[in-house]
Amino acid sequence: MWIRSALLVSSILIATGCPQQVAPAAKEVSAAPVVGAEDARVVADSSGDLYAATPTNPKESAKDTPGPGSGAPDETNGVCRLYAPKLPRPECCPRDFGLDVALVQRACGHALYLGESLHASCGFFFSGEDTTTTKPKWLRLSVALESTVAKAAAAHDERIGLRVAMDPSFRSTPVPGVEGAMWSRHEELRWALIPGWSQVRLLTWNAQSCSEEGIVEVIQHLAAAPEVPSDAPRSSLIPGASAAG
């Protein structure tokens, strides 16, 4: 009898469910937000499927974009007219070398001054009226390591003679009409060592950049220009111009 009663109780418990065996209530789950092709975080392929977009690094993107002055003159830095034909990130020259841009334009016959940039030495770029069909003309200025023009010329002659001209007899000669200045040439390249300052300045150019008569005038002006301290602030955007210009 008691067995039959026990079976009956078990059947009732199974049918009604024992409180100790009730599963916990399922948590309510919110629907995921819908992401469309207009969302910047995704991209769609040709079939319309969406994929996560590759994150963009602003610094990496900036490297792919030429900086101001690369390939076109730019004065937005407020320090100099910046220009370099190909440098991705041109910079202004760190000092004034005594160059007068207006004088160079007149003496060498350049219609336009494009600007300056630093790349080992300081380059100054000029052009004719049509900048689309002609390569820029250039002059470059730097400071020699040696303390006098004579010492600088000796070191320059040895370096150019052994590494460029392959001629141990390579020698600089005096610049006509400019006391103390020395110059030299090899093929299309030209160099001049300029006296007058506490540091010797080296001027480099090529034959297409200026005539011989014109460059002598430029060298004369450089030799006579008052020395500008290397840490002096820039007085104008264009070398040789007044502060107002």
Side-chain angles (χ1 to χ4, degrees):
M1 184 71 179
W2 66 269
I3 296 175
R4 187 179 298 174
S5 298
L7 291 172
L8 178 61
V9 171
S10 297
S11 299
I12 294 172
L13 289 175
I14 293 172
T16 59
C18 181
Q20 286 81 3
Q21 295 177 347
V22 174
K27 293 182 180 179
E28 184 177 351
V29 179
S30 301
V34 176
V35 177
E38 71 281 358
D39 194 308
R41 296 169 297 176
V42 299
V43 292
D45 68 3
S46 58
S47 68
D49 289 338
L50 300 179
Y51 296 89
T54 302
T56 300
N57 185 333
K59 292 183 180 180
E60 291 298 324
S61 298
K63 291 180 181 178
D64 298 332
T65 304
S70 182
D74 184 273
E75 294 184 353
T76 57
N77 58 68
V79 177
C80 76
R81 179 179 295 174
L82 197 59
Y83 176 81
K86 293 182 180 180
L87 286 180
R89 294 287 181 276
E91 297 178 5
C92 293
C93 295
R95 63 172 299 176
D96 190 330
F97 287 94
L99 187 73
D100 186 332
V101 162
L103 183 142
V104 174
Q105 284 185 261
R106 178 178 56 77
C108 301
H110 303 313
L112 302 173
Y113 172 59
L114 299 174
E116 68 181 61
S117 59
L118 178 67
H119 186 60
S121 60
C122 188
F124 302 89
F125 298 88
F126 301 84
S127 176
E129 291 286 359
D130 186 356
T131 60
T132 61
T133 59
T134 57
K135 291 183 178 180
K137 312 298 183 185
W138 54 269
L139 306 175
R140 304 196 72 88
L141 276 162
S142 60
V143 174
L145 298 176
E146 295 74 24
S147 58
T148 66
V149 169
K151 292 179 180 179
H156 169 80
D157 293 349
E158 181 179 6
R159 182 169 57 252
I160 300 300
L162 294 177
R163 300 180 184 178
V164 180
M166 304 301 176
D167 179 5
S169 65
F170 182 88
R171 294 289 183 274
S172 295
T173 58
V175 178
V178 189
E179 185 177 355
M182 303 286 286
W183 65 0
S184 57
R185 64 179 64 192
H186 173 67
E187 296 180 352
E188 295 298 303
L189 289 175
R190 307 284 187 269
W191 300 270
L193 292 158
I194 316 296
W197 288 16
S198 57
Q199 290 181 295
V200 178
R201 288 157 292 166
L202 174 64
L203 175 67
T204 308
W205 70 102
N206 66 13
Q208 290 75 40
S209 294
C210 196
S211 66
E212 187 165 305
E213 296 77 11
I215 206 67
V216 167
E217 187 175 352
V218 173
I219 295 171
Q220 287 173 334
H221 183 272
L222 285 169
E227 182 166 3
V228 180
S230 59
D231 58 350
R234 295 287 294 259
S235 61
S236 62
L237 295 172
I238 298 175
S242 65

